[in-house]
Amino acid sequence: MSDGALASGDGALGSDDGAAGAEGGQGGTVDAGPIVAPQPLSPYIVVDQFGYLPSSEKIAVIRSPQTGFDSGQSFTPGATYALVDAHSSKKLLEAAPATWNGGATDSSSGDKAWWFDFSTVTTPGDYFVLDETANVRSAVFSLSTGIYRSALVQTIRMYYYQRDGIAKLATYAGADWADGVAHPQDSMCGLYSDGSGPQDLHGGWFDAGDQNRYTNWAASDVIELLRAYVESPTVFTDDYNIPESGNGVPDILDEVKWDLDWLGRMQQTSGGVLSIAGHAGASPPSTDTSPCKYGPVNTSGTLTTAAAFAYASVVFGSVASTKTAYPGYASTLSTMAQNAWTWAVANPSVTFYNSQNGVGAGEQEVDAAGTLLKKAQAAVFLFELTGSATYKTFFDANYTQLLSSFDPFHMEQLDTALEYTKIPGATASVVTAISSAFKSNVEGANYFGTLHSNTDPYLAYLQDYVWGSNQTKAGQGNMFADVVAFGLDSSAAADATRYAERYVHYVDGVNPLGLVFLSNMGAFGAETSVTRFFHSWFANGSMWDAVGVSKYGLPPGYLTGGPNPGYTWDSCCPSGCSGCGTAPLSPPAGQPPQKSYKDFNDNWPLDSWSVTEPDDGYQAQYVRLLSKFVQ
């Protein structure tokens, strides 16, 4: 099976041990035959289930639960662990596990932990970690230079499933996720209040589990995917099995263009950009006959779109294949970006709170401070595009507003500031101030310090687990990678790369749940991946409800929101509505932060969306991080 192809049938892609072996072959190793791993799979030995680059740090975490939902299942590790060839059963390394933090219980996970470090093994192949006393094993994984390629392909393909206004043909979607044209009524989308002023607003991506398209968030997602491409251009290829595959353009850029074209339809002749286009949503999307409603232009959305158009013009104008496939497109984007800026400057405080007006499922509007940051972002990319002093002057006068937010919870501000430092003609003193502030922060106690001291037994420390924690985890990994990408400290480059890669491992299974936080990845090397998430298409009780349970199950490659200790049931519970039960679901409620997760997709009033809902922005941050380790 090629990376872009999908199995049809019952929707539950294969999750047997042989899948890991096959991926090892695709990743650049020689297929050594069937997997031999007869020992029981243990939830107490967690690894990156896709695998590791041969030259990278490789640490299996052995866990013994002390608090949380699995506290009654404590585990005592054996005296020795072995790295076992999953074909020949040969033991390449045997060693005693190292105790984490003197045997203390980690408050973020509720676990005691030990490490089995097999970094010295660099021979490509398929392996598992074996507890030689208990005779239980980890998931099977591969060592290969190309081990993350399939995961990257599937995480990009997620955006194809999120496309609105297109039929999902079985050729590209797989038979299980084929669907007719979603929302053809978008060709006559009307104003939210009365349906007046119909416009053709088809296209774009569903933002998350809902089927709405939000300008601010969509433009931000475009920027992040463009940044992923710019930082690792050679890893993105033209063979992901989407409709544009084979046109000579990396498929990530074709996917970005799909959303850019929708943003172009949202732009009005004035230069302002409509704020939202929304639907009720349905499963499957082609059955949704509700009217399309749009929100009026707003300043923040117009500024974020200006930034996306400007950055896309820079990228599309610099890639030979895009200039050939889409002649004149970069120039068109440049004009659209500048028109959006001009409108926003003339209309600096136009807001539209869609949630207050009954359109959309989330609120994307920002306050005055947020709008200033959006303007600074647009100024950076327009300066990069045009070299005009107008944009540089604005940024130089306002960049200090960004410096207090150099953390993984504010990646847009951080990325904006760092982008400025690489633009020819940028003011030297401003570049120095930004670089120094970032270097000091990322190499300080809260970031490098926590990794140096191994604060988290799962090796991917996060200050706080909030809604969308998987996005924040990926963001922190990207922060570490930025130390290398921007040449900030050559002496710290090796550590920064090692630390960044640990956050990939977390998403890929090195966590207290032993769970790959991507959906349905059994055919791509994962033994335990997400089987349910909140989504209006793949809804609870639908034919796509759960992998291995419902008729079809989920498509592969969706990143879920992640552990959220703030989860609770709806405010109407326990007695103001039906379906609550006697207490909030636990897990995710009432758990140590890293265990505040459940593989579920219940709708209101159990509100699974705050834990498992995927999101285009979560996805983009992970794509950017993962792509740095694809070879």
Side-chain angles (χ1 to χ4, degrees), residues 612-630:
T612 67
E613 185 178 16
D615 177 277
D616 297 349
Y618 305 166
Q619 195 87 6
Q621 196 68 241
Y622 177 69
V623 164
R624 181 183 169 200
L625 177 62
L626 180 66
S627 63
K628 297 177 188 302
F629 299 98
V630 174

Side-chain angles (χ1 to χ4, degrees), residues 234-276:
T234 61
V235 309
F236 294 103
T237 53
D238 185 29
D239 57 353
Y240 293 3
N241 194 31
I242 63 173
E244 298 83 3
S245 294
N247 67 353
V249 175
D251 283 344
I252 188 175
L253 296 183
D254 288 319
E255 200 59 73
V256 162
K257 185 177 183 294
W258 180 265
D259 211 45
L260 285 167
D261 289 348
W262 172 73
L263 288 168
R265 296 182 195 103
M266 295 287 280
Q267 187 171 36
Q268 307 297 284
T269 56
S270 65
V273 182
L274 299 174
S275 54
I276 186 175

Side-chain angles (χ1 to χ4, degrees), residues 457-475:
Y458 293 92
L459 300 162
Y461 177 76
L462 190 65
Q463 293 179 36
D464 193 17
Y465 287 79
V466 297
W467 191 331
S469 63
N470 280 340
Q471 179 186 33
T472 313
K473 285 274 192 178

